[in-house]
Amino acid sequence: MESSDPDADLMEFVDDEPEAAGAALVHGAGFWRILIIDDDLDVHQATLFSLESLQLFGRRLQFLHAYSAQQARQLLLTESDLALILLDVVMETPEAGLELVDFIRNTAHLKNSRIVLRTGQPGYAPEQETILRYDINDYKTKSELTHHKLATSVTAAIRSYQQLCVMDANRQGLELIVQASGCLLETQGLHMFAGGVITQLAAILGTSPDGLVCAQGDWSNQQCTVVAAAGQFAHLIDQPLETVPNDHVRQSLFTALQSGQSHHGTFETVLYFGQKEGLSMAAYVGSAVRPREIDSSLLSVFALNMSVCLRNLVLMHRLQNDAYVDPLLRLPNRTRFIETISQRLSGATQSDTVALVDVDDFSAVNDLMGHAYGDELLRAFANHLVHSLGSDVYLARVASNTFGLLGPRDVLTPQRLAATAHHAVMVFEQPHVVSVTAAIAVLDDSSYSGADWLKNASIALKHAKRHQRGGYECYSADMASQSRSRAQLLANLHQAFGEDRLFIAYQPQVDLHTGALIGMEALLRWRTEDGQMIAPDQFIPIAEQSGLIVSLGDWVLQTACRDMRLIRDQGLASCHMAVNVSVVQLRSPGFVPRVLEVLAQSGLRPQELELEITESIAMLGADAAASMLRQLRAAGIAVSIDDFGTGYSSLSYLEKMPLDRIKIDRAFVIQLGQEGSPRIAEMITQLGHKLDLRVLAEGIEDAAAWAALRDMGCHEGQGYFISRPLDFVALCGWLARRPQNVSEYGLV
Ligand code: C2E
Ligand code: MG
Ligand code: MG
């Protein structure tokens, strides 16, 4: 051995059997494979003799033999991983060897295999250009290649083969990493991501995908779970890591997760990738490729890249979570509910049903008891729904106080839904009976989308809230068309308001005992472009539901105050102007200050303004309502309760309200003329007396009603008998010529 030879120290000649050769052979990585192509049998023998005991870079040599160019061609097409080809230049023909070189590179596509050309005839040297073109390592005459020189030449060639392979693996690995980052980011679930990690890692290691990935952290509240598994581990998916039967595999993964470190063993690679806090993962892939044969920095890059992917994945999961989960109750939200209905529709069974359950008066509960109480009430009620309806029902929160339910028709029945109410849930250890309004829609038409069905159920819920509060409504196609025409009406109302096509009619109010004018009520009117009048009973509820009533009411207040000021300034009358106020307006922020502002701007005196509210003020809660009324009355503004007796306020509630006047609804005045039913107007009148309130009767259409009401003690009245509601010009005319006393009204 020559000491100047740079490869001399890498050569090692061994006599005994290589250890663990069997195991290595299984994975095809324990030998350098050398193909000897020569038509001279002796050359084969001599080469074997020279190289047989050589060991290079930890591997022994394995020889394949071809005795003709023809035989070589067949071998070259079937064999891969040939480190070196020792090739005789002249065989069947003088060109056979060189032609074979072309075949090796261009037909068999063995780009990395090294080629050493050997020739028996010194004169037959290939051109320099040929050597370069075909990437040939060495060209020697057979006589030149002594035992030692051959070994040196083979060593150099194999070293070069090894380097080429490493470079190749790195290049492929990098390509895989780039690919992996791209496609793993697209995959949405953790399972798919982890499955992708095994595949990519196995590809980088050049082994079959046989491994598993474990995750620990805040993903699923489970401590340490197998999130992907392939090959012999496939059955372990979704199991706790503790259940992995192989001690070595289990321990390797635990160690990686605990230490946050990757590890390359002789027969496995364990990669750690994760975050300091939150989710972390470790992948185990069984592989006999020794770590030094793969650039370990490649694995680090892979692990790093996977950490970034994982972080993105967690982020995406959180974003998704935020988009689909209601933060307060941790229930699926409206968006998720719609998606779930859509999924259910695609596998449509006629029995699926959507239900909406709306907690009645929830905003009053919030106002009265505070938001913490309201939140707790929703939580308790959601739990109650789950328990009473069972696990077949999918529960979501679709609006602040509305739950969406999806389940079998025989479970989501009106009876079962009704039973969920009238049951006390515990809120801060206090029983609270929840009243609900519900709607049911059977998914009997899969041409509708999930969003359509939720809309249909919402239409039924609105219906129920209008007509059946505390009850339920089942969706029908009629409802949808009604709802469409309401939407059309609202759009027209918006337009009419914008185009000043609304005006106010005023209806005088008189003292029933003296006939003197005491006030007038402002009543909103809408005349459409084609001159048709639309009744307030039709459009006011729509304006209330849409919130338009707030600006509409503000305009009524301003206009009525301005007109009243004109009436007073013209000396036509000195009395109050009664303006109807919706509970939606009362609930809108800054209502009281706004009334005071309008009043001040109009120059009206506070006692010249009265606000008519309805019993629905109860929705605000007794304390909030009373405090608001107190503020108005403290400013000198009178408050009357309109349509009394038609709402649902209790007497004790009424007693707490600071009021000036009760208005008896027209329905009770009509009854006066009917046999046997005049009692309610009388009772309301007496109640007014007891509470020390003025009592005004609406809808007096004849002198008899006037007289009857007066005789039962009712103080005041309004109605067609006195005057129909009049536009401003007509009102001014009426005021100027109005009857001055009861006899001028024809009463005695
Ligand atoms: P309301 O406040 O109880 O108004 C009295 C209603 O009875 C008015 O109907 C009036 O025209 C009608 N009326 C008065 N006297 C007689 C009578 O002798 N016979 C009959 N048959 N009807 C009589 P209108 O103007 O259709 O208003 C209906 C309801 O619309 C009002 O009931 C009120 O609740 C609401 N409304 C009207 N204008 C406004 C407004 O500016 N704001 C709000 N929030 N609601 C309004
Ligand atoms: Mg009124
Ligand atoms: Mg009324």
Side-chain angles (χ1 to χ4, degrees):
M1 225 180 264
E2 291 165 21
S3 57
S4 62
D5 189 333
D7 289 324
D9 53 347
L10 290 169
M11 285 191 266
E12 211 183 315
F13 291 89
V14 287
D15 297 323
D16 43 15
E17 281 297 302
E19 43 75 50
L25 195 61
V26 173
H27 297 274
F31 290 91
W32 299 117
R33 308 180 80 219
I34 297 178
L35 171 60
I36 303 168
I37 307 172
D38 208 304
D39 54 1
D40 185 345
L41 201 65
D42 291 345
V43 175
H44 286 264
Q45 297 295 337
T47 309
L48 279 185
F49 177 73
S50 297
L51 301 176
E52 216 165 20
S53 57
L54 191 63
Q55 181 163 332
L56 292 172
F57 317 112
R59 292 195 199 176
R60 299 191 66 184
L61 308 182
Q62 192 184 53
F63 296 93
L64 291 89
H65 302 272
Y67 299 95
S68 67
Q70 176 60 25
Q71 195 188 0
R73 277 193 175 82
Q74 284 170 4
L75 260 174
L76 287 164
L77 287 176
T78 52
E79 294 296 329
S80 58
D81 195 23
L82 292 173
L84 172 63
I85 297 161
L86 293 170
L87 178 57
D88 187 16
V89 178
V90 181
M91 288 179 287
E92 293 97 320
T93 64
E95 298 296 320
L98 287 181
E99 282 165 10
L100 212 48
V101 171
D102 185 77
F103 184 86
I104 292 167
R105 296 293 185 229
N106 297 325
T107 306
H109 299 296
L110 300 172
K111 299 272 186 244
N112 292 342
S113 298
R114 299 296 80 208
I115 300 173
V116 170
L117 286 178
R118 295 194 289 188
T119 177
Q121 290 114 318
Y124 249 99
E127 301 289 324
Q128 177 74 13
E129 184 253 336
T130 314
I131 292 178
L132 285 175
R133 174 144 55 102
Y134 291 118
D135 183 19
I136 289 166
N137 261 60
D138 216 345
Y139 172 70
K140 290 278 173 356
T141 60
K142 289 178 185 169
S143 56
E144 259 183 293
L145 284 172
T146 59
H147 170 78
H148 188 76
K149 281 233 174 80
L150 180 61
T152 309
S153 181
V154 166
T155 306
I158 285 184
R159 172 198 284 275
S160 140
Y161 173 74
Q162 187 189 24
Q163 283 168 348
L164 283 173
C165 287
V166 168
M167 273 162 58
D168 235 20
N170 282 1
R171 186 179 48 74
Q172 282 172 14
L174 282 170
E175 275 170 13
L176 283 173
I177 288 171
V178 172
Q179 262 176 27
S181 318
C183 63
L184 289 182
L185 262 187
E186 282 165 21
T187 65
Q188 296 196 338
L190 180 70
H191 286 86
M192 280 176 80
F193 170 80
V197 168
I198 299 181
T199 316
Q200 305 292 350
L201 183 57
I204 291 172
L205 293 171
T207 178
S208 58
D210 187 2
L212 48 87
V213 177
C214 278
Q216 85 174 351
D218 64 359
W219 190 268
S220 57
N221 298 328
Q222 283 163 333
Q223 272 305 296
C224 216
T225 318
V226 177
V227 285
Q232 56 169 314
F233 302 107
H235 64 288
L236 294 170
I237 195 147
D238 279 338
Q239 300 296 317
L241 177 53
E242 287 79 3
T243 61
V244 173
N246 182 320
D247 289 346
H248 178 66
V249 175
R250 194 178 57 243
Q251 204 44 53
S252 304
L253 284 163
F254 265 129
T255 310
L257 286 168
Q258 269 158 19
S259 64
Q261 303 256 307
S262 296
H263 156 79
H264 314 292
T266 315
F267 298 115
E268 85 281 326
T269 296
V270 186
L271 277 197
Y272 170 84
F273 41 96
Q275 303 151 308
K276 285 200 181 65
E277 282 153 26
L279 187 69
S280 54
M281 288 170 89
Y284 176 99
V285 170
S287 158
V289 180
R290 296 179 194 189
R292 61 185 140 149
E293 288 166 19
I294 311 281
D295 191 344
S296 67
S297 62
L298 190 69
L299 287 177
S300 315
V301 174
F302 181 76
L304 192 72
N305 232 39
M306 291 307 102
S307 297
V308 173
C309 284
L310 185 63
R311 200 165 54 228
N312 288 337
L313 189 79
V314 170
L315 204 69
M316 246 157 64
H317 179 81
R318 287 214 182 110
L319 287 175
Q320 251 196 5
N321 216 35
D322 288 354
Y324 286 118
V325 176
D326 171 67
L328 177 69
L329 304 183
R330 308 305 304 162
L331 283 177
N333 65 7
R334 181 186 186 84
T335 315
R336 175 63 90 208
F337 189 58
I338 289 174
E339 273 189 9
T340 311
I341 303 173
S342 294
Q343 283 160 11
R344 200 63 73 88
L345 282 168
S346 58
T349 72
Q350 292 266 313
S351 80
D352 283 326
T353 294
V354 168
L356 294 177
V357 172
D358 193 88
V359 177
D360 293 335
D361 300 327
F362 182 68
S363 54
V365 170
N366 256 343
D367 290 346
L368 276 172
M369 311 294 286
H371 285 261
Y373 185 94
D375 292 352
E376 198 53 34
L377 171 66
L378 288 177
R379 233 174 255 130
F381 186 64
N383 282 337
H384 169 61
L385 280 176
V386 171
H387 285 119
S388 55
L389 296 172
S391 57
D392 281 352
V393 172
Y394 180 89
L395 176 67
R397 185 188 186 199
V398 296
S400 89
N401 55 326
T402 312
F403 293 97
L405 302 160
L406 177 63
R409 194 179 189 164
D410 56 350
V411 176
L412 295 180
T413 60
Q415 295 73 20
R416 294 280 295 270
L417 291 176
T420 62
H422 314 302
H423 168 93
V425 294
M426 296 304 281
V427 184
F428 294 129
E429 290 165 16
Q430 293 297 315
H432 185 125
V433 177
V434 180
S435 155
V436 301
T437 303
I440 295 169
V442 179
L443 305 183
D444 52 9
D445 184 347
S446 56
S447 65
Y448 282 134
S449 68
D452 291 337
W453 276 115
L454 180 57
K455 202 166 95 197
N456 290 346
S458 306
I459 289 170
L461 182 65
K462 275 197 186 139
H463 234 259
K465 279 177 37 182
R466 268 200 307 276
H467 308 295
Q468 276 282 338
R469 247 179 105 81
Y472 72 94
E473 226 20 286
C474 292
Y475 170 78
S476 71
D478 291 359
M479 282 181 188
S481 66
Q482 278 178 31
S483 146
R484 267 194 299 279
S485 56
R486 292 167 67 84
Q488 186 58 50
L489 196 67
L490 178 62
N492 294 346
L493 177 59
H494 260 283
Q495 201 180 0
F497 184 38
E499 291 171 0
D500 292 333
R501 264 184 279 114
L502 301 180
F503 68 98
I504 299 176
Y506 298 97
Q507 186 174 40
Q509 300 172 329
V510 296
D511 185 311
L512 294 181
H513 295 272
T514 63
L517 181 75
I518 58 141
M520 56 197 86
E521 179 178 4
L523 295 161
L524 188 55
R525 293 287 175 264
W526 173 12
R527 184 181 289 123
T528 60
E529 263 175 322
D530 53 17
Q532 191 198 339
M533 294 301 293
I534 299 182
D537 289 334
Q538 257 180 290
F539 69 84
I540 297 280
I542 292 174
E544 284 178 328
Q545 277 154 27
S546 67
L548 179 64
I549 194 69
V550 175
S551 42
L552 214 53
D554 193 77
W555 177 82
V556 171
L557 182 68
Q558 283 185 67
T559 312
C561 287
R562 187 201 59 203
D563 287 351
M564 188 65 225
R565 174 72 202 262
L566 286 172
I567 289 167
R568 195 226 298 157
D569 288 353
Q570 288 173 24
L572 285 169
S574 172
C575 59
H576 71 241
M577 172 61 76
V579 176
N580 292 286
V581 172
S582 154
V583 70
V584 179
Q585 287 170 273
L586 294 171
R587 259 207 308 246
S588 69
F591 174 74
V592 174
R594 175 62 188 157
V595 172
L596 300 180
E597 186 185 23
V598 171
L599 187 70
Q601 281 167 359
S602 70
L604 223 56
R605 291 186 283 266
Q607 63 273 25
E608 289 173 314
L609 179 64
E610 176 169 298
L611 299 183
E612 291 192 8
I613 58 169
T614 61
E615 287 165 277
S616 55
I617 193 174
M619 286 182 200
L620 298 182
D623 292 346
S627 126
M628 190 174 260
L629 301 190
R630 233 175 269 118
Q631 287 175 54
L632 291 166
R633 294 185 76 228
I637 299 167
V639 179
S640 63
I641 193 132
D642 203 356
D643 306 340
F644 187 76
T646 58
Y648 53 84
S649 60
S650 68
L651 281 181
S652 63
Y653 186 90
L654 186 73
E655 212 175 351
K656 284 189 210 145
M657 291 298 122
L659 295 167
D660 295 272
R661 183 173 275 113
I662 298 182
K663 293 184 77 176
I664 305 175
D665 191 72
R666 187 156 54 86
F668 308 125
V669 174
I670 293 169
Q671 286 177 352
L672 286 175
Q674 296 162 2
E675 280 291 305
S677 52
R679 305 270 310 143
I680 297 175
E682 200 170 349
M683 272 160 50
I684 296 173
T685 306
Q686 285 166 8
L687 179 73
H689 282 274
K690 290 232 168 63
L691 296 175
D692 204 15
L693 301 172
R694 305 288 295 166
V695 182
L696 184 148
E698 296 181 305
I700 300 178
E701 295 190 0
D702 49 45
W706 177 319
L709 287 158
R710 181 192 57 190
D711 296 345
M712 68 178 66
C714 180
H715 307 113
E716 299 148 354
Q718 72 185 82
Y720 292 173
F721 181 71
I722 297 144
S723 168
R724 287 190 171 251
L726 304 165
D727 67 31
F728 184 66
V729 176
L731 175 77
C732 292
W734 184 88
L735 287 173
R737 294 182 294 274
R738 71 179 185 269
Q740 297 295 329
N741 51 49
V742 281
S743 58
E744 285 186 37
Y745 279 106
L747 277 112
V748 281

